Amino acid sequence: MTTMAPKPFFIVIYLAMLIFSLTKSKPYHPMPTYFGRFHPNGSIVDQRNPLTRLNFTGNPEGLRVTQSNAVLKVEPPVASNGGGVYITWSGVSGATDRDVIGIYCPETNKATDYLDYVWVKNYPTYKQGHGEFSVELYNLRSNCEFRYYTFRPFEELVARSNLLRFEGGPEAPLHGHLALTTTQLNATSTEMRVMWVSGANVTPVVHYSLAKGGPLMTTKGTTKTYKASDMCGEPASGSQFMDPGFIHDVLLTDLKPSSLYYYQYGTDLGMSKLKNFTTAPLPNPDVSFKFLVYGDQGISADAHNTARYSLEEMLYRNATMVIHLGDIAYAEGYAYQWEKYFALIEPYASLVPYMVGIGNHEQDHVSGGEKDPSGAPGEGFHPWFAPSLFHTDSGGECGVPMYHRFHMPDNGNHVWWYSFNYGSLHYIMMSTEHNFTRGSRQYKWIENDLRNVDRSVTPWVLIGGHRAMYTSQKYYGDYMLSLGMRHHMDDLLNKYQVDLGLWAHFHSYERTCAVYNGRCENNGTVHITVGTAGKQFDTNGFMPMDWSLKQMIEFGYGRITVYSKSALLWEFITNKDKKVADKVLLTK
């Protein structure tokens, strides 16, 4: 099978309608619990499933400790963010297979407002009234406690643990991450944006210097937050909302290009550890550098592998940036996912700029559109040529957490579309979750941005977004969307000779030839799908397309090395063996 050129458009209409009756949706992804629990068969416990909720009745015995000899203890009593703790219990009489130990943050929460729980029956000594387990915990800007409950048949509070605190307390600076800017000419090279979260609504500051122990410079910033009422719908606006704390934003200016800076961020109530970053090089057609690209990460074990290998790329291979192509934390309205995700990426997102785009699991909604901060009319983008897509994937978030937690370059539409220069590279981030059709606000912005690229300074031009413009994987609803993208965007990318299109959404890997209008052509754009950063695989196979040169269902990440104005290397590294599984050298 070969593809049909999506022009004239009636061909696309015919093909789309033909395959619509065969539409297959991407698989359902369960929502992990705060502890990331698994069923005995190894499947993920789905937080969305109401059968996983505990049935508290409000029984008075659930309000006071009923076994004076029972002891529940958490160690250490002061935990690090994302660090492990041990929970032990002893002296419990009459234990049953309905007993649970839950965590409460803050410790004053009522019984029904637990964050997560474990079944004590999962531990072999529970019938003897004792046992132990370990979990990873995250600083939610409050103290916590564990509680042992038994249900026989109504709940009784058997024991409460000692109070659990976190290093730095509620005011600790958390979730540090960096971003490039384009607020002025060559600002990418002379500025750096620093963001983090704390429980303190006080003036944020960054102290920075060109040398350890050298003269300090200090810059103050701004603080904001968001509320449940800012969301477009449930569960983000209701039971799963969690106070995000105060989000701090400091812009450092007048920095030296290609220079190492040491810095700390925080407030008068607490500062981060000393960290460092290197500013971007000045726009230069011959500068050499490397950076990472991926999408669809989340917080699974495979996502942790991607994070670990990304940090190694920064520390040992001089990677200087990450571009994340949407579907970031997969929070979908369950706010604790954001807390866990930022703890995962902070080690390297506070070392190099972490540039993000919007995905369907951050943006898509079908109600509450008046609260959508992107400015999209109505309920957002719902193209007729992809009727099976663009529904409630964000769990009511509608881009609100993304808009507040990340601050991307200000030359477009905030986190949704923007561009920046980095050395010999001009990069455009678009939103596939917003109208990209000819004449739309986003299309006009992309066209104007491409028109004004100076190829003598930035000879390499890349565009990225979440949903793939060229895909052959057998998810036919998404394939219909890709045909629509090609119809509206292919000519534009060809006219301005965009070198590389970077996409995600599919939890698999695919690389095309230099393609235009569904045909391999020397002056086409190479398209790469790399939604491989950790979310469970999309296992449907691939259709045989002439333009599709490589397909894999593997976890991993992309690495781009820009050698000069004449050579750019793309490599796909698999997490399973950390080897290059695919590569292509683009030359001019």
Side-chain angles (χ1 to χ4, degrees), residues 53-59 61-62 66-67 94-102 104 111-112 114 117-120 147-158:
R53 298 295 296 174
L54 296 175
N55 184 26
F56 284 97
T57 65
N59 175 44
E61 294 302 316
T66 60
Q67 294 191 24
T96 76
D97 61 4
R98 292 284 296 155
D99 293 7
V100 299
I101 296 176
Y104 291 82
T112 53
Y114 59 86
Y117 66 91
V118 300
W119 294 103
V120 300
R147 301 178 196 169
Y148 189 120
Y149 280 100
T150 187
F151 293 81
R152 38 184 170 191
F154 302 113
E155 68 270 14
E156 294 181 17
L157 177 57
V158 174

Side-chain angles (χ1 to χ4, degrees), residues 435-445 447 488-489 492:
N435 193 347
F436 52 72
T437 63
R438 289 189 184 94
S440 66
R441 175 188 174 196
Q442 181 176 198
Y443 182 94
K444 290 178 179 178
W445 180 87
E447 183 175 35
H488 289 283
M489 300 287 294
L492 187 63

Side-chain angles (χ1 to χ4, degrees), residues 226-344:
Y226 57 90
K227 308 179 296 296
S229 59
D230 294 323
M231 305 290 194
C232 289
E234 291 278 0
S237 62
S239 61
Q240 297 304 319
F241 178 80
M242 181 181 294
D243 186 342
F246 297 97
I247 301 166
H248 307 297
D249 187 338
V250 177
L251 177 63
L252 308 182
T253 62
D254 298 322
L255 306 176
K256 296 180 182 297
S258 301
S259 298
L260 177 67
Y261 282 84
Y262 296 90
Y263 77 109
Q264 287 181 286
Y265 51 86
T267 69
D268 290 341
L269 300 176
M271 297 294 293
S272 73
K273 295 179 179 178
L274 185 67
K275 301 172 183 275
N276 66 78
F277 65 78
T278 299
T279 50
L282 286 170
N284 180 335
D286 292 311
V287 69
S288 179
F289 58 94
K290 67 180 63 174
F291 61 97
L292 307 185
V293 182
Y294 52 73
D296 299 80
Q297 189 169 19
I299 56 171
S300 67
D302 296 289
H304 278 73
N305 288 336
T306 300
R308 181 167 63 254
Y309 301 151
S310 295
L311 179 60
E312 291 177 3
E313 291 279 353
M314 314 303 163
L315 296 177
Y316 308 122
R317 297 178 184 85
N318 298 317
T320 59
M321 175 172 56
V322 173
I323 293 178
H324 191 142
L325 300 163
D327 282 5
I328 309 295
Y330 282 87
E332 301 172 34
Y334 290 77
Y336 59 81
Q337 294 286 86
W338 284 111
E339 304 291 333
K340 297 177 72 172
Y341 183 77
F342 275 103
L344 174 65

